[in-house]
mmCIF file of all heavy atoms in Angstrom:
data_model
loop_
_atom_site.group_PDB
_atom_site.id
_atom_site.type_symbol
_atom_site.label_atom_id
_atom_site.label_comp_id
_atom_site.label_asym_id
_atom_site.label_seq_id
_atom_site.Cartn_x
_atom_site.Cartn_y
_atom_site.Cartn_z
ATOM 1 N N VAL V 234 -17.684 -21.747 22.362
ATOM 2 C CA VAL V 234 -18.218 -20.450 22.795
ATOM 3 C C VAL V 234 -18.976 -19.800 21.646
ATOM 4 O O VAL V 234 -20.122 -19.339 21.813
ATOM 5 C CB VAL V 234 -17.087 -19.520 23.295
ATOM 6 C CG1 VAL V 234 -17.547 -18.070 23.403
ATOM 7 C CG2 VAL V 234 -16.548 -20.013 24.636
ATOM 8 N N LEU V 235 -18.361 -19.768 20.471
ATOM 9 C CA LEU V 235 -19.007 -19.148 19.309
ATOM 10 C C LEU V 235 -20.301 -19.880 18.945
ATOM 11 O O LEU V 235 -21.329 -19.249 18.669
ATOM 12 C CB LEU V 235 -18.049 -19.118 18.125
ATOM 13 C CG LEU V 235 -16.805 -18.235 18.310
ATOM 14 C CD1 LEU V 235 -15.847 -18.433 17.149
ATOM 15 C CD2 LEU V 235 -17.185 -16.785 18.481
ATOM 16 N N GLN V 236 -20.257 -21.192 18.966
ATOM 17 C CA GLN V 236 -21.445 -21.991 18.651
ATOM 18 C C GLN V 236 -22.559 -21.746 19.672
ATOM 19 O O GLN V 236 -23.720 -21.536 19.306
ATOM 20 C CB GLN V 236 -21.075 -23.474 18.605
ATOM 21 C CG GLN V 236 -22.228 -24.384 18.251
ATOM 22 C CD GLN V 236 -21.799 -25.851 18.240
ATOM 23 O OE1 GLN V 236 -20.869 -26.262 18.927
ATOM 24 N NE2 GLN V 236 -22.476 -26.639 17.426
ATOM 25 N N TYR V 237 -22.218 -21.744 20.936
ATOM 26 C CA TYR V 237 -23.209 -21.551 21.993
ATOM 27 C C TYR V 237 -23.895 -20.190 21.855
ATOM 28 O O TYR V 237 -25.126 -20.096 21.864
ATOM 29 C CB TYR V 237 -22.550 -21.672 23.370
ATOM 30 C CG TYR V 237 -23.488 -21.332 24.500
ATOM 31 C CD1 TYR V 237 -24.355 -22.284 25.011
ATOM 32 C CD2 TYR V 237 -23.516 -20.047 25.043
ATOM 33 C CE1 TYR V 237 -25.237 -21.968 26.043
ATOM 34 C CE2 TYR V 237 -24.395 -19.722 26.063
ATOM 35 C CZ TYR V 237 -25.245 -20.686 26.563
ATOM 36 O OH TYR V 237 -26.127 -20.363 27.576
ATOM 37 N N PHE V 238 -23.099 -19.129 21.743
ATOM 38 C CA PHE V 238 -23.701 -17.793 21.699
ATOM 39 C C PHE V 238 -24.405 -17.515 20.378
ATOM 40 O O PHE V 238 -25.402 -16.795 20.354
ATOM 41 C CB PHE V 238 -22.667 -16.729 22.053
ATOM 42 C CG PHE V 238 -22.368 -16.694 23.528
ATOM 43 C CD1 PHE V 238 -21.140 -17.106 24.015
ATOM 44 C CD2 PHE V 238 -23.338 -16.292 24.438
ATOM 45 C CE1 PHE V 238 -20.878 -17.100 25.374
ATOM 46 C CE2 PHE V 238 -23.086 -16.284 25.802
ATOM 47 C CZ PHE V 238 -21.854 -16.694 26.278
ATOM 48 N N ALA V 239 -23.934 -18.107 19.292
ATOM 49 C CA ALA V 239 -24.645 -17.967 18.014
ATOM 50 C C ALA V 239 -26.027 -18.621 18.122
ATOM 51 O O ALA V 239 -27.027 -18.060 17.679
ATOM 52 C CB ALA V 239 -23.839 -18.583 16.880
ATOM 53 N N LYS V 240 -26.080 -19.782 18.745
ATOM 54 C CA LYS V 240 -27.353 -20.491 18.938
ATOM 55 C C LYS V 240 -28.301 -19.675 19.828
ATOM 56 O O LYS V 240 -29.519 -19.721 19.649
ATOM 57 C CB LYS V 240 -27.082 -21.864 19.560
ATOM 58 C CG LYS V 240 -28.289 -22.757 19.644
ATOM 59 C CD LYS V 240 -27.905 -24.130 20.178
ATOM 60 C CE LYS V 240 -29.133 -25.010 20.307
ATOM 61 N NZ LYS V 240 -28.797 -26.325 20.850
ATOM 62 N N GLU V 241 -27.737 -18.920 20.770
ATOM 63 C CA GLU V 241 -28.529 -18.073 21.659
ATOM 64 C C GLU V 241 -28.964 -16.771 20.980
ATOM 65 O O GLU V 241 -29.660 -15.957 21.588
ATOM 66 C CB GLU V 241 -27.726 -17.738 22.924
ATOM 67 C CG GLU V 241 -27.468 -18.924 23.826
ATOM 68 C CD GLU V 241 -28.746 -19.439 24.476
ATOM 69 O OE1 GLU V 241 -29.514 -18.626 25.007
ATOM 70 O OE2 GLU V 241 -28.972 -20.672 24.430
ATOM 71 N N GLY V 242 -28.513 -16.559 19.723
ATOM 72 C CA GLY V 242 -28.919 -15.369 18.984
ATOM 73 C C GLY V 242 -27.981 -14.181 19.086
ATOM 74 O O GLY V 242 -28.298 -13.084 18.621
ATOM 75 N N TYR V 243 -26.832 -14.388 19.687
ATOM 76 C CA TYR V 243 -25.858 -13.309 19.789
ATOM 77 C C TYR V 243 -25.241 -13.026 18.423
ATOM 78 O O TYR V 243 -25.115 -13.921 17.582
ATOM 79 C CB TYR V 243 -24.737 -13.667 20.770
ATOM 80 C CG TYR V 243 -25.131 -13.533 22.217
ATOM 81 C CD1 TYR V 243 -26.008 -14.434 22.820
ATOM 82 C CD2 TYR V 243 -24.606 -12.509 23.001
ATOM 83 C CE1 TYR V 243 -26.358 -14.316 24.153
ATOM 84 C CE2 TYR V 243 -24.946 -12.390 24.341
ATOM 85 C CZ TYR V 243 -25.830 -13.289 24.893
ATOM 86 O OH TYR V 243 -26.176 -13.170 26.210
ATOM 87 N N ILE V 244 -24.838 -11.790 18.215
ATOM 88 C CA ILE V 244 -24.129 -11.376 17.005
ATOM 89 C C ILE V 244 -22.738 -10.935 17.441
ATOM 90 O O ILE V 244 -22.588 -10.181 18.402
ATOM 91 C CB ILE V 244 -24.862 -10.209 16.308
ATOM 92 C CG1 ILE V 244 -26.256 -10.663 15.874
ATOM 93 C CG2 ILE V 244 -24.052 -9.692 15.123
ATOM 94 C CD1 ILE V 244 -27.135 -9.531 15.394
ATOM 95 N N PHE V 245 -21.731 -11.410 16.743
ATOM 96 C CA PHE V 245 -20.353 -11.084 17.084
ATOM 97 C C PHE V 245 -19.881 -9.946 16.193
ATOM 98 O O PHE V 245 -20.029 -10.007 14.978
ATOM 99 C CB PHE V 245 -19.454 -12.307 16.894
ATOM 100 C CG PHE V 245 -19.943 -13.492 17.674
ATOM 101 C CD1 PHE V 245 -20.693 -14.484 17.061
ATOM 102 C CD2 PHE V 245 -19.680 -13.605 19.028
ATOM 103 C CE1 PHE V 245 -21.166 -15.571 17.777
ATOM 104 C CE2 PHE V 245 -20.149 -14.687 19.752
ATOM 105 C CZ PHE V 245 -20.890 -15.672 19.123
#
Side-chain angles (χ1 to χ4, degrees):
V234 165
L235 295 172
Q236 181 181 27
Y237 174 84
F238 285 111
K240 187 176 178 181
E241 292 292 312
Y243 283 72
I244 298 170
F245 305 98

